[in-house]
């Protein structure tokens, strides 16, 4: 009885630990084993930015109705115990699917410099048609492979009739920040020029002085009266009603006294 008990206990432990044992074949199976894990990024990636970018798109595609996980394989080191599967993306896709079969049954996408691999319920012929315009060989760097994976995810979703929102768009869907900044500077310069220009398009420095209206024919401008010394206007004889005071004596003669007049 003791031998049978031990055999049964050993069999139960083997069944329980089977997924973990199978997941030790290569790094991608370890990373993708958790239910919420979506991306395995090549060990050659310089930092975690590429993984974050691809995770965003993978999650968006999953939320749109296509549950999928992605493995970006950049070199043999990413294959762990099966380096012989290097440059064989479709073969590796089947291998990785078999390692995760107890915990994951949806679509797997493999991206290698040599091409794509697909495993799961997504039809292989349908996938090949959707991915025919994407070539990872053009840029086998981690950044290039990530961009190819991003495009492949969106292509698979589109071929499945799904509309994806919130993805990273391959990192190139938006305008680069330097280009945006340059555009803002150009618009600011144009706006400043518009403020300087008049309605006719001439700068303020080229404006002509305003011309006074010409007097009508027959109009004569009033004569200006020259000022006296000290700034006061000269007497034109019209002050005080127009009567100028009479001199009491001729110039150069002394005034007569009353007595001389009586004589």
């Amino acid at each position: 009885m003791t031998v049978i008990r031990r055999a049964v206990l050993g069999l139960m432990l083997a069944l329980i630990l089977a997924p973990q044992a199978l997941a030790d074949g290569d790094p991608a199976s370890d990373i993708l084993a958790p239910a919420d894990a979506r991306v395995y990024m090549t060990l050659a990636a310089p930092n975690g930015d590429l993984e974050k970018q691809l995770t965003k798109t993978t999650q968006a595609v999953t939320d749109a109705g296509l549950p999928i996980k992605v493995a970006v394989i950049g070199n043999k080191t990413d294959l762990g115990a099966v380096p012989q599967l290097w440059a064989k993306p479709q073969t590796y896709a089947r291998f990785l699917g078999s390692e995760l079969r107890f915990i994951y049954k949806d679509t797997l996408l493999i991206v290698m410099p040599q091409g794509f691999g697909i495993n799961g319920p997504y039809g292989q012929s349908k996938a090949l048609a959707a991915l025919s315009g994407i070539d990872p060989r053009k840029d086998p760097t981690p950044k290039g492979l990530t961009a190819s994976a991003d495009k492949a995810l969106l292509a698979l979703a589109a071929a499945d009739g799904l509309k994806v929102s919130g993805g990273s768009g391959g990192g190139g869907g938006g305008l680069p920040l330097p280009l945006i900044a340059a555009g803002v500077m150009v618009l600011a310069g144009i706006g400043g020029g518009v403020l300087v220009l008049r309605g006719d398009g001439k700068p303020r420095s080229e404006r002509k002085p305003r011309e006074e209206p010409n007097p009508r024919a027959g109009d004569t401008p009033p004569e200006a009266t020259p000022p006296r010394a000290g700034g006061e206007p000269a007497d034109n004889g019209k002050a005080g009603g127009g009567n100028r005071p009479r001199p009491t004596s001729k110039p150069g003669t002394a005034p007569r006294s009353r007595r001389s007049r009586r004589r």
Side-chain angles (χ1 to χ4, degrees), residues 19 40 52 58 112 117 203 229 243:
Y40 169 80
K52 292 179 181 178
T58 307
M112 287 188 183
N243 296 324

Side-chain angles (χ1 to χ4, degrees), residues 32-249:
L32 295 176
D36 58 346
R38 290 290 162 192
V39 174
Y40 169 80
M41 179 57 61
T42 174
L43 299 174
N47 50 52
D49 293 342
L50 295 177
E51 182 178 352
K52 292 179 181 178
Q53 170 187 323
L54 191 57
T55 299
K56 184 178 180 181
T57 304
T58 307
Q59 189 61 52
V61 170
T62 298
D63 294 341
L66 177 59
I68 193 168
K69 295 190 177 190
V70 185
V72 178
I73 307 300
N75 51 49
K76 290 184 178 182
T77 306
D78 294 319
L79 299 177
V82 287
Q84 65 273 18
L85 298 182
W86 171 249
K88 300 175 183 178
Q90 185 55 45
T91 304
Y92 178 71
R94 289 193 294 266
F95 171 79
L96 183 59
S98 66
E99 286 198 310
L100 299 175
R101 67 185 180 274
F102 294 106
I103 52 180
Y104 182 74
K105 298 183 182 299
D106 290 314
T107 304
L108 280 171
L109 174 66
I110 307 302
V111 184
M112 287 188 183
Q114 295 79 16
F116 299 100
I118 196 85
N119 187 77
Y122 202 101
Q124 188 171 356
S125 58
K126 181 180 177 181
L128 291 176
L131 303 177
S132 60
I134 307 171
D135 189 359
R137 295 173 298 179
K138 292 182 178 180
D139 188 357
T141 65
K143 184 176 181 180
L145 293 176
T146 301
S148 295
D150 203 301
K151 294 176 183 178
L153 287 167
L154 298 178
L156 292 174
D160 220 21
L162 301 176
K163 185 177 180 181
V164 180
S165 60
S168 66
L175 291 174
L177 289 179
L179 184 58
I180 295 175
V184 172
M185 294 177 65
V186 170
L187 292 177
I190 294 176
V194 171
L195 293 176
V196 174
L197 296 178
R198 299 188 309 168
D200 56 2
K202 295 182 180 180
R204 293 180 182 272
S205 59
E206 296 182 5
R207 290 184 181 179
K208 294 181 179 180
R210 180 180 297 178
E211 297 180 358
E212 297 295 336
N214 295 328
R216 294 181 297 175
D219 293 344
T220 56
E223 295 180 357
T225 303
R228 288 182 178 179
E232 298 179 0
D235 188 1
N236 54 10
K238 297 182 181 180
N243 296 324
R244 185 178 295 179
R246 296 179 180 179
T248 56
S249 61

